[in-house]
Amino acid sequence: MSNQPITKVLVANRGEIALRVMRACRELGLKTVAVYSQADRDALHVRFADEDVCIGPGPAKESYLDFKRIIAAAEVSGAGAIHPGYGFLAENADFAEVVDSCGLRFVGPSPDAIRRMGDKARAKATMKAAGVPTIPGSDGVVGSFEDASRIADEVGYPVILKAVAGGGGKGMRICRDVAELERGYSLASSEAGNAFGNPDLYLEKVIVNPHHIEVQIMADQFGNVFHFGERDCSIQRRHQKLVEETPSPIMTAEVREKMGAAAIAGAHAVDYVGAGTVEFLCDDNLNFYFMEMNTRIQVEHPITEEAYEVDLVKDQLRVAMGERLDYHQADLVPKWAAIEVRVNAEDPDNDFRPAPGKITGLHVPGGLGVRVEKAIYSGYSIPPFYDSMVSKLIVRARTRSEAIARMRGALGEFVVTGIPTTLPFHQKIMDNPAFIAGTYTTNFIAEQFPPTGSPANGLTLKRPTEEAEASSTESVAEVKETNA
Ligand code: MV4
């Protein structure tokens, strides 16, 4: 890592997060460089930056994922640091290593920390050694079906096979008995080999009806690590988060401190630097178990910023510039209730099918406690190459019920025409009794909003495909529903 002071930051991303990072840069007096693909010529992040460099064609592999083009853009523009945002190269240890070796600063943890958390079985072993509760199961990779069967007998069925190279729900398989385990082991292993180039699996007991609770941390280069409480991200559909909130409606101050301490211990174990998120599965009795660590700033970071009155992206940049974090952990208490909904260019009435297109009209909500993160504008055409998230709507209020009321009002004001969005679906979630009660789990969407088969639309033909899919890697929600 070079010791030259940083004056210019290249943002290796697009969309709302690129804008979010550039705003933080500007507040810190840092110049910004945007990179963009040919499909993003009219994107807002290009106009927003002090300088911009076109790095290739629309497909991400030829632009936002291409190390060489991004490094070259940093070199021609004289940027001293690269902020990866989320997605794309944010958790690519090889990229972080190349950035370092080119004398540039990667805004994030070391390549070693990224690598140690990227291997999910290794991450779990690291956390366990650091005293963080983990889910009963194999110690590392299961070498054979016989191995898996023995461990499954020990911990009890149902069990779940997970790809060590997976994460975010990819490459998982639930097995309810030894027959399913035998079939599942070979299928999951070859699936993981095909999808990730690594067939290794580990095994865990299934936590039934879990809550997805994640802890935000921030660490500086001097070994100071702080946590900023939790986010409840249980409201997901096929491992895509739809709504996030903090504080979690099931959390207590005592358990928050325990989870925060566990997350901090895990961060110390890998000499973590920067923003990170430690994901836990939590049962109704608030027993919590480490699941994965995300070594990046996350989509849902704004709710933590709102609730804790902090600027996590500015902190990332400060830490990367070698500054010391001067928080006092005891002061880091949630001051607000905050909720985020993701506005996706998807048709909720058509299996959430991505629906890019031209935005013909746009009105964004505002007012007290309302924040909108977006990079769209009226007249903008959403390119088909990237994620379907086009905006995030974040509200904060003194209490959870006031935050829900504020979200309802803001959703009512939010108008996007020309494309379908998830906005009307979010209004239904805000009116849902289980959401209002705060008793929801990761099964919420499957239970409260089961897909409506429309025979008129030929869904009868699609049905077998969907079931085949459901019985492979995406079956966790369904299995738990049956168990519940
Ligand atoms: C589990 C689980 C139950 N038991 N592991 C899904 C994403 C990936 N990070 C891990 N996931 C799960 N792992 C055990 N031992 C249930 C899930 C899970 C889930 C977790 C968080 C949020 C939503 C979820 C939806 C389905 C399954």
Side-chain angles (χ1 to χ4, degrees), residues 194-209:
N194 289 332
F196 314 114
N198 180 353
D200 290 347
L201 305 174
Y202 64 109
L203 182 145
E204 288 179 345
K205 185 176 178 61
V206 169
I207 307 293
V208 177
N209 295 321

Side-chain angles (χ1 to χ4, degrees), residues 183-202:
R183 201 175 91 99
Y185 182 81
S186 63
L187 285 174
S189 179
S190 54
E191 272 171 21
N194 289 332
F196 314 114
N198 180 353
D200 290 347
L201 305 174
Y202 64 109

Side-chain angles (χ1 to χ4, degrees), residues 135 160 162 168-169 172 204-207 210 212 236 239 279 281 291-292 442 476 480:
I135 303 170
I160 185 166
K162 298 182 177 181
M172 302 190 319
E204 288 179 345
K205 185 176 178 61
V206 169
I207 307 293
H212 173 132
Q236 313 200 355
H239 306 298
E279 295 185 350
L281 284 183
M291 193 165 49
E292 294 176 15
T442 55
V476 181
K480 285 205 300 304

Side-chain angles (χ1 to χ4, degrees), residues 126-386:
T126 303
M127 287 297 186
K128 194 176 173 184
V132 179
T134 54
I135 303 170
S138 63
D139 275 319
V141 174
V142 282
S144 63
F145 159 66
E146 288 72 24
D147 237 24
S149 173
R150 183 178 47 78
I151 298 158
D153 286 336
E154 273 169 37
V155 300
Y157 286 92
V159 296
I160 185 166
L161 291 166
K162 298 182 177 181
V164 303
K170 278 177 250 147
M172 302 190 319
R173 183 175 292 264
I174 291 258
C175 309
R176 279 164 293 200
D177 53 43
V178 67
E180 285 189 5
L181 185 62
E182 177 151 35
R183 201 175 91 99
Y185 182 81
S186 63
L187 285 174
S189 179
S190 54
E191 272 171 21
N194 289 332
F196 314 114
N198 180 353
D200 290 347
L201 305 174
Y202 64 109
L203 182 145
E204 288 179 345
K205 185 176 178 61
V206 169
I207 307 293
V208 177
N209 295 321
H211 304 259
H212 173 132
I213 311 272
E214 58 185 35
V215 174
Q216 176 71 52
I217 63 141
M218 184 70 67
D220 66 19
Q221 296 183 31
F222 306 95
N224 300 302
V225 188
F226 298 95
H227 80 84
F228 301 75
E230 79 286 357
R231 293 184 288 260
D232 195 320
C233 305
S234 301
I235 300 190
Q236 313 200 355
R237 184 186 170 277
R238 297 188 179 175
H239 306 298
Q240 295 295 315
K241 292 168 187 165
L242 292 170
V243 179
E244 306 97 355
E245 67 172 315
T246 186
S248 165
I250 66 161
M251 196 48 51
T252 65
E254 292 69 35
V255 177
R256 175 174 304 121
E257 278 322 298
K258 281 192 200 161
M259 292 182 84
I264 288 172
H268 280 300
V270 294
D271 296 321
Y272 199 83
V273 174
T277 298
V278 183
E279 295 185 350
F280 295 95
L281 284 183
C282 222
D283 67 22
D284 286 331
N285 300 320
L286 296 188
N287 298 304
F288 60 88
Y289 308 92
F290 170 75
M291 193 165 49
E292 294 176 15
M293 181 168 186
N294 301 318
T295 56
R296 60 170 191 272
I297 192 79
Q298 288 192 268
V299 171
E300 60 271 27
H301 77 275
I303 58 172
T304 301
E305 294 186 324
E306 295 298 324
Y308 286 77
E309 298 180 337
V310 294
D311 187 327
L312 295 171
V313 180
K314 258 161 78 172
D315 282 351
Q316 282 188 295
L317 291 160
R318 286 201 178 112
V319 159
M321 294 188 293
E323 284 185 35
R324 196 177 283 273
L325 293 171
D326 57 1
Y327 292 114
H328 299 282
Q329 186 63 58
D331 298 340
L332 297 175
V333 292
K335 298 179 178 70
W336 302 83
I339 307 173
E340 172 179 279
V341 302
R342 298 188 185 194
V343 184
N344 295 346
E346 294 171 359
D347 183 357
D349 295 327
N350 231 315
D351 204 31
F352 291 79
R353 180 194 303 160
K358 185 171 177 174
I359 293 166
T360 55
L362 180 63
H363 176 81
V364 297
L368 185 66
V370 177
R371 169 174 171 185
V372 176
E373 296 285 349
K374 61 163 178 55
I376 54 170
Y377 54 86
S378 187
Y380 177 66
S381 286
I382 300 161
F385 300 106
Y386 315 108

